[in-house]
Amino acid sequence: MSTAADLDVTLVRNATLLATVNGTTFLVDPLLAPEGALPPIDDTPNDRNNPLVPLPDADLSHDAVVVTHRHPDHFDDAARERLDADVPLFCQPAEAEAFAEDGFTDVRPVADEAAFDGVTLHRTPGRHGHGKLAEQMGPVSGFVFEGEETLYLAGDTVWYEPVAETLGEFDPDAVVLNGGAARFNQGEPITMGVADVAAVREATDAAVAVVHMEAINHCLLSREELRAATEDVRVPEDGERIEF
């Protein structure tokens, strides 16, 4: 059995998480802007300024930062200004230079895996949508955090074979998915919807939680809808801590 010190995740807002593995806390995908401070995502339904909801009054203390990709709902100007310049920052290799240009002095691109304070980080593949749209969305990653317990953060991806392969390879204790069924005015969703979440639930014995919901204008799947359509899936509220 894991304990709170082994593995727990706090949803801050959207995909912003505090993931604690082996007592080490990673701040993931920091979106720290005040409610309504950012423009809507272009060419999408529900034309409202982002974020749609305020930042919870949460303790954001962390030992390191992980950014799955630099889309503005995963890393924003407020995060760049608020984070310590010397914080260890793990990212995709393709985006390391951009973080250095932002002034971060301890950027650690993860080609395959990296170690930090007793935790091994494995970068995993993602597909941010379907077909040509997924290619246009650029590279995205997930991360597996391996300690006494193993956590898989899938990142902005839909269900496809490499997600199944990651589940099989690492056999995680807990999985956090980015839901919301985010979409543009044309094309299929670019993050997980009900069918994607159900496929993950079917493919693993791990605890499954879904975040990335009700915070950005093009995320159209609500928490209530997802809870009603799935079983044995946790859908936390902003600011909620989940102990796995």
Side-chain angles (χ1 to χ4, degrees):
M1 292 290 291
S2 65
T3 68
D6 290 332
L7 181 58
D8 68 73
V9 171
T10 297
L11 168 61
V12 180
R13 179 183 59 183
N14 195 47
T16 305
L17 307 172
L18 290 163
T20 299
V21 183
N22 281 17
T24 299
T25 298
F26 299 88
L27 175 62
V28 180
D29 285 355
L31 167 67
L32 304 183
E35 179 181 4
L38 305 176
I41 304 294
D42 287 340
D43 191 28
T44 61
N46 189 26
D47 195 24
R48 296 168 57 194
N49 280 2
N50 291 313
L52 304 179
V53 293
L55 187 69
D57 184 16
D59 181 359
L60 298 182
S61 299
H62 55 276
D63 301 297
V65 172
V66 175
V67 179
T68 62
H69 64 297
R70 282 177 60 99
H71 287 173
D73 60 326
H74 293 256
F75 182 82
D76 64 353
D77 289 344
R80 188 189 71 235
E81 294 164 3
R82 183 167 170 178
L83 296 176
D84 292 338
D86 62 352
V87 68
L89 193 156
F90 296 90
C91 65
Q92 304 183 106
E95 295 176 334
E97 184 176 348
F99 285 112
E101 291 174 352
D102 284 339
F104 292 99
T105 60
D106 191 2
V107 180
R108 306 188 188 191
V110 183
D112 181 24
E113 65 178 55
F116 181 78
D117 202 13
V119 180
T120 302
L121 284 73
H122 305 267
R123 188 167 66 88
T124 62
R127 190 176 74 186
H128 204 349
H130 300 267
K132 290 184 178 180
L133 179 56
E135 296 176 14
Q136 294 168 358
M137 295 299 289
V140 296
S141 296
F143 282 87
V144 168
F145 299 75
E146 193 172 27
E148 292 296 322
E149 307 289 333
T150 300
L151 170 67
Y152 172 32
L153 303 183
D156 273 9
T157 185
V158 295
W159 169 255
Y160 76 133
E161 187 58 30
V163 174
E165 292 170 355
T166 298
L167 292 169
E169 178 180 357
F170 292 101
D171 189 22
D173 298 281
V175 178
V176 177
L177 307 174
N178 287 357
R183 66 185 309 146
F184 294 94
N185 287 321
Q186 298 81 32
E188 298 177 76
I190 60 173
T191 61
M192 289 197 177
V194 169
D196 303 271
V197 172
V200 174
R201 177 65 286 169
E202 179 69 21
T204 180
D205 292 331
V208 176
V210 184
V211 300
H212 198 281
M213 302 189 75
E214 300 183 354
I216 300 296
N217 71 292
H218 69 328
C219 291
L220 304 183
L221 176 66
S222 72
R223 288 181 170 105
E224 182 178 355
E225 290 168 331
L226 182 60
R227 288 171 181 144
T230 57
E231 294 183 1
D232 194 24
V233 172
R234 305 185 193 191
V235 188
E237 299 293 332
D238 293 346
E240 183 176 343
R241 176 182 177 183
I242 302 175
E243 296 183 5
F244 293 107

